[in-house]
């Protein structure tokens, strides 16, 4: 990861500032959480800087960020730093809960992965890092949507010495370096306390957990590990997952696929501004594939009817499945059984298997339309490992499904094409070196 000197100085400065605000007692566990905050900032910056270098002020309406907009927009790096410093006002280290409390507190359970004596310390440390990344990522994703022109303190900040005015006073030493720091001189600050400040990605709680867990798994480098445990999604179907100790492991892969198959701009919008842009883009690009598989599954309409009967009794808006976007949203929610239901059932199993086929077809379409071989090979390698497996009673082993085999075949095809392309250019270069162009007399080129 390479940053400009200016960006690196900014990251280092605000890491130091965050330590003062969140860990004045130098608690080593809190220090790990702060490291996770800034690892998220660095990784999200790297992920989106090419397509989303600036965020218009109109999208980020909260007025009391420590770094103010310049010329009507926030730079991506300052946007991410603002989200972290505005949304996290306390770190709670405990032995019971991992969460981002909307009262602006990140809670981390240091004993979450105790008892796994059969697993290496390195692997468990990565799982712990993934948990810290997950919860601090929730905080950075959350947009303050109150839009009431008021300062919104968290619960801890009500009696914390580092309230907004004191933070701004402390930051004055950096004023020459960051002239866009929040200025509160001669201002009365209207404030309002609530625990309902924030939006969540995709306006969908299971999608919010899925995309957050996916990035935490990616940023912690768990996808690069050889240790993939299995998570059952049916009686004889399982999926390998590097985060298999987590309740979201069974459906995280779909958000990995979504990340690879939509633009960074629409993904950013969905994650940080709670839009449906990523789902909409994927659905528009793959409407035929979604409809094709949908029409082959009778259980879907029966399942939707059951759900809508219950919703009608509770006077909740019924689920619509008219558009490909509606269909995809329903499948993603149904596939997240580990989050919304106590155990897998036939409907959730079918939804997962259908999504696997839809995403596989989307990768095939991407290949036809053109691709970057390096990026696609990396995506296919992990996609292949995340594919469902089926239990073979004869061998007593989990065997690859047709989906996994197809991913392997596509991977091999792309690899062969890349190798042929490289060999062609290598031979061309050798021919040029062996047969240099004759020198033209009088030429100074």
């Amino acid at each position: 990861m390479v940053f400009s000197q200016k960006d690196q100085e900014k990251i280092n400065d605000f890491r130091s500032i965050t330590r003062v605000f969140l860990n004045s007692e130098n608690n080593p566990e809190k220090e790990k959480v702060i490291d996770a905050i800034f690892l998220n900032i660095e990784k999200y910056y790297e992920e989106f800087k090419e397509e989303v270098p600036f965020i218009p002020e109109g999208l980020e309406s909260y007025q009391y960020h420590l770094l103010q907009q310049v010329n009507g927009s926030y730079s991506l790096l300052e946007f991410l730093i603002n989200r972290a410093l505005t949304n996290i006002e306390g770190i709670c280290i405990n032995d019971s809960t991992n969460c981002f409390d909307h009262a602006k507190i990140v809670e981390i359970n240091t004993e979450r992965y105790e008892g796994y004596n059969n697993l290496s310390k390195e692997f468990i440390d990565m799982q712990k890092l993934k948990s810290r990344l997950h919860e601090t990522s929730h905080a950075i994703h959350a947009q303050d949507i109150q839009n009431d022109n008021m300062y919104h303190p968290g619960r801890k900040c009500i009696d914390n010495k580092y309230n907004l005015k004191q933070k701004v006073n402390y930051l004055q030493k950096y004023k020459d370096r960051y002239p866009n720091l929040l200025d509160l001189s001669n201002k009365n600050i209207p404030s309002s306390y609530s625990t309902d400040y924030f939006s969540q990605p995709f306006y969908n709680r299971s999608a919010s957990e899925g995309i957050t867990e996916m990035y935490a798994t990616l940023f912690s480098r768990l996808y690069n590990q050889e240790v993939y445990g299995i998570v059952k999604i049916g009686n004889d179907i399982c999926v390998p997952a590097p985060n298999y100790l987590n309740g979201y492991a069974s459906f995280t892969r779909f958000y990995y696929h979504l990340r690879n198959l939509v633009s960074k701009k629409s993904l950013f919008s969905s994650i940080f501004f709670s839009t449906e842009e990523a789902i909409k883009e994927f659905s528009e690009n793959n409407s035929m594939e979604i409809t094709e598989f949908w029409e082959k599954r009778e259980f879907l309409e029966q399942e939707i009817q059951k759900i809508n009967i219950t919703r009608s009794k509770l006077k909740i808006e019924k689920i619509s499945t008219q558009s490909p976007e509606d269909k995809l949203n329903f499948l993603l929610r149904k596939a997240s059984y580990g989050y919304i239901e106590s155990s897998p059932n036939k409907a959730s199993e079918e939804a997962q298997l259908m999504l696997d086929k839809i995403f596989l077809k989307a990768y095939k379409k991407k290949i036809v339309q053109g691709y970057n071989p390096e990026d696609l090979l990396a995506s296919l390698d992990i996609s292949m490992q995340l594919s469902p497996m089926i239990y073979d009673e004869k061998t007593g082993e989990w065997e690859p499904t047709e989906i996994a085999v197809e991913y392997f075949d596509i991977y091999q095809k792309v690899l062969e094409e890349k190798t042929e392309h490289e060999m062609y250019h290598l031979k061309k270069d050798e021919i040029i070196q062996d047969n240099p162009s004759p020198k033209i007399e009088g030429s100074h080129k």
Side-chain angles (χ1 to χ4, degrees):
M1 192 186 316
V2 179
F3 296 101
S4 69
Q5 183 178 348
K6 185 178 179 181
D7 285 342
Q8 192 61 63
E9 286 175 356
K10 190 176 295 182
I11 289 167
N12 293 342
D13 283 344
F14 280 91
R15 190 192 301 268
S16 299
I17 290 163
T18 303
R19 288 189 182 110
V20 172
F21 296 160
L22 298 181
N23 191 21
S24 57
E25 68 273 39
N26 295 318
N27 181 309
E29 292 299 329
K30 288 187 178 183
E31 191 66 20
K32 291 177 184 177
V33 177
I34 292 169
D35 287 343
I37 292 171
F38 280 85
L39 180 56
N40 266 325
I41 288 172
E42 291 171 2
K43 290 290 190 179
Y44 280 123
Y45 181 57
E46 184 180 38
E47 176 88 342
F48 293 108
K49 65 181 178 180
E50 296 301 325
E51 288 196 33
V52 193
F54 298 99
I55 292 86
E57 180 187 15
L59 284 178
E60 187 74 341
S61 58
Y62 185 62
Q63 296 184 8
Y64 295 97
H65 286 310
L66 293 176
L67 289 164
Q68 294 288 286
Q69 56 81 23
V70 177
N71 297 326
S73 64
Y74 297 94
S75 71
L76 175 60
L77 182 56
E78 292 193 354
F79 166 84
L80 294 167
I81 290 170
N82 275 336
R83 281 285 183 94
L85 269 67
T86 295
N87 294 349
I88 304 174
E89 293 186 343
I91 299 171
C92 175
I93 304 300
N94 60 52
D95 59 3
S96 60
T97 306
N98 278 331
C99 75
F100 168 56
D101 183 334
H102 280 203
K104 299 192 174 184
I105 298 173
V106 170
E107 298 189 35
I108 296 296
N109 172 12
T110 54
E111 298 183 11
R112 167 68 176 83
Y113 296 102
E114 296 298 322
Y116 292 101
N117 298 324
N118 58 322
L119 300 174
S120 72
K121 181 181 183 301
E122 179 186 11
F123 182 69
I124 291 299
D125 285 345
M126 293 179 80
Q127 294 285 350
K128 289 179 177 179
L129 171 60
K130 189 265 302 174
S131 288
R132 293 191 292 270
L133 288 167
H134 183 109
E135 304 310 338
T136 55
S137 197
H138 271 314
I140 296 170
H141 291 171
Q143 182 188 19
D144 189 314
I145 54 175
Q146 294 299 305
N147 203 18
D148 57 5
N149 301 321
M150 303 183 85
Y151 161 54
H152 299 145
R155 185 175 68 235
K156 185 177 179 62
C157 202
I158 293 172
D159 57 2
N160 189 314
K161 67 175 180 176
Y162 288 112
N163 61 36
L164 185 63
K165 280 189 175 180
Q166 286 153 328
K167 284 181 179 178
V168 171
N169 288 339
Y170 176 83
L171 288 172
Q172 291 311 300
K173 66 178 77 174
Y174 295 93
K175 190 67 178 176
D176 290 342
R177 191 175 294 182
Y178 306 110
N180 61 324
L181 282 166
L182 178 63
D183 181 7
L184 295 178
S185 58
N186 302 318
K187 287 184 180 179
N188 290 321
I189 311 174
S191 64
S192 172
Y193 172 74
S194 169
T195 57
D196 298 321
Y197 302 133
F198 298 127
S199 64
Q200 59 187 357
F202 294 88
Y203 282 123
N204 179 324
R205 196 165 182 182
S206 63
S208 172
E209 295 297 352
I211 196 74
T212 303
E213 179 70 5
M214 185 281 292
Y215 272 116
T217 306
L218 188 69
F219 295 165
S220 64
R221 302 187 75 252
L222 275 167
Y223 281 126
N224 301 80
Q225 294 298 297
E226 295 180 0
V227 182
Y228 275 40
I230 64 169
V231 180
K232 293 189 73 174
I233 62 172
N235 290 331
D236 57 357
I237 297 283
C238 79
V239 289
N243 58 328
Y244 65 96
L245 303 177
N246 184 275
Y248 311 134
S250 65
F251 63 96
T252 305
R253 69 189 185 282
F254 300 126
Y255 296 94
Y256 179 78
H257 298 325
L258 188 68
R259 168 186 177 261
N260 296 330
L261 294 165
V262 300
S263 66
K264 289 290 194 291
K265 190 173 289 186
S266 68
L267 195 59
F268 184 88
S269 176
S270 291
I271 294 170
F272 293 95
F273 292 101
S274 301
T275 72
E276 290 288 330
E277 289 302 310
I279 298 294
K280 183 179 179 181
E281 181 185 320
F282 182 87
S283 301
E284 288 177 350
N285 292 341
N286 300 279
S287 58
M288 291 179 62
E289 289 75 14
I290 293 169
T291 302
E292 173 192 347
F293 287 112
W294 184 274
E295 290 175 349
K296 293 178 181 178
R297 292 289 186 270
E298 293 181 5
F299 85 92
L300 285 170
E301 294 303 333
Q302 297 169 0
E303 189 70 18
I304 291 161
Q305 285 176 11
K306 286 194 298 183
I307 293 170
N308 280 339
I309 288 171
T310 302
R311 283 176 167 250
S312 181
K313 290 178 181 177
L314 297 172
K315 297 183 179 180
I316 300 173
E317 183 181 0
K318 292 182 179 180
I319 291 173
S320 171
T321 55
Q322 294 300 308
S323 68
E325 185 179 341
D326 291 337
K327 292 177 172 67
L328 182 65
N329 263 322
F330 175 79
L331 289 172
L332 286 168
R333 283 196 299 270
K334 199 64 193 171
S336 62
Y337 73 83
Y339 182 65
I340 60 174
E341 298 179 34
S342 59
S343 62
N345 56 39
K346 186 64 177 175
S348 62
E349 178 186 335
E350 291 283 350
Q352 289 220 22
L353 296 176
M354 190 185 304
L355 284 168
D356 279 312
K357 291 178 180 178
I358 290 169
F359 281 114
L360 175 63
K361 280 221 167 184
Y363 278 116
K364 289 180 177 179
K365 183 181 287 188
K366 182 175 182 177
I367 291 170
V368 172
Q369 294 170 346
Y371 58 89
N372 178 312
E374 293 291 345
D375 291 344
L376 185 58
L377 284 171
S379 299
L380 290 171
D381 185 32
I382 293 173
S383 298
M384 187 166 55
Q385 295 182 66
L386 297 173
S387 295
M389 302 181 74
I390 189 164
Y391 186 72
D392 187 329
E393 292 185 354
K394 292 181 180 178
T395 63
E397 301 286 342
W398 292 100
E399 302 291 345
T401 56
E402 184 180 338
I403 291 281
V405 173
E406 285 200 59
Y407 270 119
F408 178 77
D409 290 342
I410 297 170
Y411 179 90
Q412 289 298 115
K413 180 182 177 182
V414 175
L415 183 60
E416 287 169 9
E417 289 178 355
K418 176 177 179 289
T419 304
E420 287 175 7
H421 181 76
E422 289 173 347
M423 290 300 295
Y424 168 77
H425 283 281
L426 180 62
K427 288 178 180 178
K428 187 176 179 181
D429 290 342
E430 287 174 350
I431 291 169
I432 292 171
Q433 289 171 8
D434 292 339
N435 301 280
S437 299
K439 182 179 179 182
I440 300 174
E441 191 173 347
S443 171
H444 296 284
K445 292 183 180 178

